C-alpha cells in the first residue's frame, strides 16, 4: 500500500486537528516538496482550528476505553439483529427439508420463483431505506424494519399455499457503523457484524433440527414451526431495539459530551469531513450515482453476494443429496459455518491492521473458486463436503471486506449511504439468480449450479483487480498534483487546474468534493 494511505499516520484527536493533513501532493516543478494546496491546508488548520465543539476539553477521555465502549454498545446487539434477519431469510432452506414443498404443493419452479420474488423486493428498497436511515433516527428506522420483518416471517408459518416477503437492515447497519469508526477500524466491526450470518448458518441448522420435534403440535408441520418460532423471536427483538439501538455520534445518549466530541474529532482526523453533520443535497446523491467506484463496487460485491445466497440457501440440500437425511444434513452445516465465522473475523482483523483489503479480497475469491472447482469435478461425498469448507472460507470473508473497502473509499455522509445501498442491493438482486441455479433435476451433484456460482466468483475476482488498479492510479495522480484544486489566495495563477474546481478555502473543497478532494487517499 502507498505510504500516503489515509489509514496510516493519522493524528489523534487530542492534537486539536480537525482534519488530517493532506497526503503529499506535488506539482511537476516541486518534486519532493509539499504542494501549495497542502501548505494551505496546514496553515488553514493551524490558524482557524476548525474543531468540532472547540469549547469541549477531551484531554480526560481515554481513547481506547472509548472504542471499547462503542464496541459494547453498538456491535453485539446489531450483530444479534442480523443473526435473526439472516436466520429468518435462510430458514426456507431448512424448512424445505421438512416437507414444506410437499405440504404446500409447490413444484420446483414455484419454490425457485418464491425465492426470486423475495430477492427483488428485498433489493429494490435498500437505497431509499438508507436515505430514510440518515433522515430519521436509526433507533426508529432499524427497529421498525426488524419488527415488520418478524411479523412477516411469523405469518409465513401460517400459510397453506404459495406466497411470501421484506429489506434494509444490512446496508443500513454497515452505513451506520461507518459513521462511528475510523476507516482503519471499520473492517473488523463489519466482519463481526457479518459473522452473525455464519453463526446463524450454524445455529439455524441446530435450531431447525430441534424445532422439527414439534412436528404435529397444534396441527402444524415442523417447517411451519420453524417460521413461527424464529419470526416471533425477531418481533420481540425488533420491539426491544427501539430502546437499545443508539443514534448517531452527535446525539448518542450513552456518551458524555466530551466522548461524543472525541468520536467526531477522530472521524474528522480520518478525512471523514462530514462526521459533524451534513445537510441533504441532491448534489451528493448524484455524485454517488455517477461515481465509477459505485458501479465497479456493485459488480465486485455481486461476485461475492450471489454465491453467498446460493451457498446458504442450498447447503442443507446439497449435503442432503450427498446421502444424509434432513436432521443430519442440517447438523453437518454447523462446522462449515463455524470455520467460516472464524476466518471472516481473522480476515477483518488483518485488513484493518495492515490495510490490504484489495489483496485479501482477491485471495478470498481464489479460495472460493478452488472450492467450487472441486465441487464441480467431485463425485465423492466426502470430497464434496471438504470442498464446501473451502467455498465457505472464500465467500464469507469477502462480503464484509468488500463492504469495508467500498465504504473506506467514499466520503460524504449521504454519498456513502447511497453508494453502500446501491452496492449491496445490486448484490442482493443476484440472489434472485443464484436461488434459481440449483434445480431439483440436477441433484445430487448440481454441476450447473456450481458452475454458475464459479462464474460469479470469477467476475468478483476480475472486478477486485480493476478496483485496486484504478484506485492505485488515482492515488498516483493526486501525488503528482494533477487533481489539485484552485484555492483563492494560494494558487490562483494555476489556470491549468481550473477543471478541478475553484474554492475559497481548503475546507470548502473538502466539504464539496468529499473523496474527490485532492488530499484524500483511497484505501487499497
Amino acid at each position: 500500500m502507498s505510504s500516503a494511505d489515509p489509514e496510516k499516520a493519522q493524528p489523534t484527536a487530542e492534537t486539536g486537528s480537525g482534519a488530517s493533513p493532506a497526503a503529499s501532493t506535488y506539482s511537476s516543478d516541486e518534486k519532493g516538496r509539499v504542494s501549495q494546496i497542502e501548505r494551505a491546508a496546514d496553515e488553514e488548520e493551524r490558524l482557524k482550528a476548525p474543531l468540532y465543539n472547540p469549547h469541549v476539553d477531551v484531554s480526560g477521555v481515554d481513547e481506547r476505553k472509548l472504542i471499547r465502549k462503542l464496541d459494547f454498545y453498538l456491535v453485539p446487539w446489531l450483530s444479534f439483529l442480523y443473526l435473526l434477519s439472516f436466520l429468518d431469510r435462510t430458514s426456507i432452506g431448512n424448512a424445505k427439508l421438512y416437507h414444506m414443498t410437499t405440504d404446500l404443493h409447490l413444484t420446483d419452479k414455484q419454490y425457485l420463483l418464491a425465492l426470486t420474488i423475495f430477492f427483488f423486493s428485498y433489493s429494490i428498497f435498500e437505497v431509499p431505506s438508507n436515505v430514510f436511515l440518515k433522515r430519521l433516527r436509526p433507533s426508529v428506522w432499524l427497529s421498525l424494519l426488524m419488527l415488520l420483518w418478524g411479523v412477516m416471517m411469523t405469518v409465513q408459518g401460517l400459510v397453506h399455499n404459495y406466497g411470501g416477503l421484506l429489506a434494509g437492515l444490512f446496508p443500513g447497519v454497515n452505513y451506520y457503523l461507518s459513521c462511528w469508526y475510523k476507516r482503519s477500524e471499520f473492517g473488523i466491526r463489519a466482519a463481526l457484524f457479518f459473522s452473525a450470518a455464519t453463526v446463524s448458518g450454524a445455529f439455524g441448522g441446530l435450531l431447525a433440527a430441534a424445532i422439527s420435534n414439534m412436528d404435529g403440535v397444534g396441527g402444524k408441520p415442523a417447517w411451519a414451526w420453524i417460521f413461527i418460532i424464529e419470526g416471533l423471536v425477531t418481533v420481540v427483538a425488533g420491539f426491544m431495539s427501539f430502546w437499545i439501538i443508539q443514534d448517531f455520534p452527535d446525539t448518542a445518549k450513552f456518551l458524555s459530551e466530551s466522548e461524543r466530541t472525541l468520536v467526531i474529532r477522530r472521524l474528522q482526523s480520518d478525512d471523514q469531513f462530514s462526521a459533524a453533520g451534513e445537510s441533504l443535497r441532491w448534489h451528493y446523491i448524484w455524485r454517488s450515482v455517477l461515481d465509477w467506484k459505485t458501479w465497479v463496487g456493485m459488480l465486485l460485491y455481486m461476485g461475492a453476494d450471489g454465491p453467498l445466497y446460493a451457498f446458504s440457501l442450498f447447503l442443507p440440500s446439497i449435503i442432503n443429496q450427498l446421502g444424509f437425511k434432513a436432521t443430519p444434513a442440517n447438523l453437518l452445516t454447523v462446522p462449515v459455518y463455524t470455520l467460516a465465522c472464524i476466518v471472516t473475523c481473522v480476515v477483518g482483523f488483518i485488513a484493518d491492521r495492515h490495510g490490504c483489503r484489495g489483496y485479501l479480497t482477491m485471495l478470498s475469491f481464489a479460495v472460493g473458486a478452488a472450492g467450487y472447482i472441486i465441487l464441480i469435478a467431485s463425485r465423492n461425498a466426502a470430497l464434496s463436503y471438504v470442498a464446501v469448507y473451502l467455498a465457505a472460507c472464500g465467500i464469507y470473508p469477502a462480503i464484509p471486506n468488500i463492504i469495508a473497502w467500498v465504504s473506506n473509499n467514499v466520503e460524504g455522509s449521504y454519498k456513502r449511504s447511497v453508494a453502500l445501498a446501491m452496492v449491496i442491493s445490486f448484490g442482493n438482486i443476484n440472489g434472485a439468480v443464484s436461488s434459481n441455479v440449483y434445480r431439483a433435476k440436477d441433484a445430487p451433484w448440481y454441476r450447473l449450479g456450481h458452475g454458475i456460482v464459479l462464474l460469479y466468483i470469477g467476475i468478483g475476482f476480475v472486478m477486485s483487480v480493476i478496483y485496486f488498479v484504478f484506485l492505485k492510479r488515482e492515488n498516483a495522480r493526486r501525488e503528482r498534483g494533477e487533481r489539485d484544486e484552485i484555492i483563492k489566495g494560494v494558487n490562483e495563477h494555476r489556470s491549468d487546474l481550473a477543471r478541478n474546481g475553484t474554492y475559497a478555502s481548503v475546507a470548502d473543497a473538502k466539504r464539496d468534493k468529499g473523496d474527490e478532494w485532492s488530499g484524500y487517499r483511497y484505501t487499497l
Side-chain angles (χ1 to χ4, degrees):
M1 180 178 287
S2 165
S3 61
D5 194 304
E7 296 188 357
K8 302 282 171 78
Q10 294 293 349
T12 61
E14 288 88 346
T15 64
S17 173
S20 65
S24 297
T25 52
Y26 309 107
S27 59
S28 58
D29 59 344
E30 290 183 309
K31 226 34 171 170
R33 290 169 35 220
V34 180
S35 72
Q36 289 178 302
I37 296 296
E38 187 176 359
R39 286 201 302 274
D42 291 341
E43 183 68 12
E44 184 174 316
E45 288 170 0
R46 185 178 67 81
L47 296 176
K48 295 185 178 180
L51 282 178
Y52 177 76
N53 282 354
H55 63 283
V56 177
D57 179 18
V58 299
S59 60
V61 180
D62 186 314
E63 189 168 343
R64 289 191 175 184
K65 288 183 178 179
L66 175 61
I67 297 303
R68 289 197 294 271
K69 188 174 183 179
L70 295 183
D71 291 340
F72 177 77
Y73 276 91
L74 301 177
V75 178
W77 185 254
L78 293 172
S79 298
F80 176 65
L81 293 183
Y82 189 57
L83 183 152
L84 294 178
S85 170
F86 205 86
L87 190 66
D88 291 342
R89 276 182 280 166
T90 57
S91 60
I92 191 169
N94 292 321
K96 184 184 178 186
L97 298 181
Y98 296 101
H99 315 297
M100 180 189 71
T101 53
T102 302
D103 291 347
L104 295 181
H105 309 292
L106 293 180
T107 65
D108 185 49
K109 287 185 177 180
Q110 286 178 318
Y111 174 74
L112 295 176
L113 184 56
L115 297 180
T116 303
I117 292 171
F118 163 78
F119 281 110
F120 274 111
S121 61
Y122 179 75
S123 301
I124 288 171
F125 294 104
E126 287 187 326
V127 173
S129 175
N130 258 22
V131 175
F132 281 128
L133 174 66
K134 177 62 181 174
R135 296 288 287 174
L136 302 175
R137 291 161 50 203
S139 58
V140 173
W141 185 246
L142 294 178
S143 303
L144 185 61
L145 288 180
M146 286 302 296
L147 185 63
L148 294 176
W149 174 259
V151 170
M152 295 306 298
M153 282 303 301
T154 304
V155 170
Q156 286 190 34
L158 305 176
V159 300
H160 296 286
N161 52 27
Y162 170 47
L165 183 84
L166 191 45
L169 184 70
F170 187 63
V173 171
N174 275 290
Y175 163 67
Y176 171 71
L177 288 176
S178 74
C179 294
W180 286 85
Y181 294 100
K182 294 170 69 173
R183 288 182 288 171
S184 59
E185 300 166 343
F186 177 54
I188 184 61
R189 276 80 187 180
L192 287 169
F193 169 64
F194 180 72
S195 67
T198 61
V199 172
S200 76
F203 181 63
L206 292 171
L207 185 61
I211 295 176
S212 67
N213 294 318
M214 295 182 65
D215 189 29
V217 175
K220 296 198 173 297
W223 65 263
W225 282 113
I226 291 175
F227 285 119
I228 293 170
I229 292 177
E230 293 179 6
L232 286 175
V233 172
T234 304
V235 169
V236 173
F239 184 74
M240 293 172 62
S241 296
F242 284 101
W243 290 272
I244 296 177
I245 294 178
Q246 303 295 322
D247 293 319
F248 292 109
D250 57 336
T251 60
K253 296 178 181 178
F254 72 100
L255 298 176
S256 65
E257 184 179 26
S258 58
E259 289 174 329
R260 288 194 295 268
T261 299
L262 180 54
V263 169
I264 293 177
R265 289 183 187 177
R266 291 176 73 254
L267 297 175
Q268 291 178 328
S269 76
D270 190 41
D271 283 344
Q272 297 188 47
F273 323 123
S274 59
E278 182 178 72
S279 300
L280 175 61
R281 291 171 56 190
W282 284 105
H283 165 71
Y284 298 139
I285 294 177
W286 281 116
R287 275 201 165 161
S288 181
V289 173
L290 299 176
D291 192 341
W292 68 268
K293 300 192 304 297
T294 302
W295 294 93
V296 173
M298 288 163 65
L299 293 172
L300 169 59
Y301 189 69
M302 176 191 80
D305 210 32
L308 170 71
Y309 282 111
F311 187 87
S312 59
L313 287 170
F314 289 95
L315 180 59
S317 296
I318 292 170
I319 295 178
N320 176 241
Q321 291 299 329
L322 293 178
F324 299 96
K325 300 301 180 183
T327 296
N330 273 326
L331 294 177
L332 282 171
T333 65
V334 175
V336 177
Y337 285 117
T338 301
L339 179 61
C341 177
I342 294 170
V343 174
T344 296
C345 293
V346 169
V347 168
F349 176 80
I350 294 173
D352 276 357
R353 180 61 61 89
H354 300 288
C356 49
R357 301 201 193 283
Y359 290 121
L360 287 170
T361 299
M362 296 173 208
L363 179 61
S364 296
F365 280 125
V367 172
Y372 275 95
I373 289 172
I374 295 173
L375 282 171
I376 292 171
S378 173
R379 289 299 176 267
N380 177 277
L383 180 60
S384 295
Y385 185 60
V386 171
V388 161
Y389 281 88
L390 276 177
C393 290
I395 294 170
Y396 278 85
I399 297 290
N401 197 44
I402 291 171
I403 294 299
W405 198 15
V406 171
S407 176
N408 282 179
N409 291 316
V410 181
E411 167 47 22
S413 188
Y414 279 104
K415 182 179 180 181
R416 186 165 62 250
S417 73
V418 172
L420 283 177
M422 287 179 64
V423 166
I424 294 171
S425 65
F426 186 73
N428 286 334
I429 285 177
N430 285 273
V433 177
S434 59
S435 64
N436 282 275
V437 300
Y438 285 96
R439 304 174 302 180
K441 67 179 183 180
D442 296 327
W445 303 111
Y446 296 107
R447 175 175 283 183
L448 175 64
H450 296 330
I452 293 176
V453 170
L454 182 60
L455 176 62
Y456 268 103
I457 292 174
I459 292 172
F461 182 84
V462 171
M463 288 299 112
S464 65
V465 172
I466 291 174
Y467 196 60
F468 179 90
V469 170
F470 276 68
L471 290 177
K472 190 172 184 179
R473 287 181 178 177
E474 180 59 28
N475 280 348
R477 291 189 182 100
R478 295 181 185 191
E479 292 287 353
R480 295 191 297 267
E482 295 176 16
R483 302 301 193 206
D484 284 358
E485 299 83 6
I486 292 178
I487 305 299
K488 293 180 179 178
V490 178
N491 61 345
E492 290 178 281
H493 64 283
R494 294 291 303 278
S495 58
D496 58 305
L497 300 176
R499 65 183 182 280
N500 298 327
T502 301
Y503 297 91
S505 67
V506 173
D508 287 343
K510 290 181 179 181
R511 191 163 39 248
D512 182 64
K513 298 187 72 174
D515 60 86
E516 296 176 14
W517 172 57
S518 61
Y520 191 96
R521 292 297 178 270
Y522 292 120
T523 301
L524 302 177

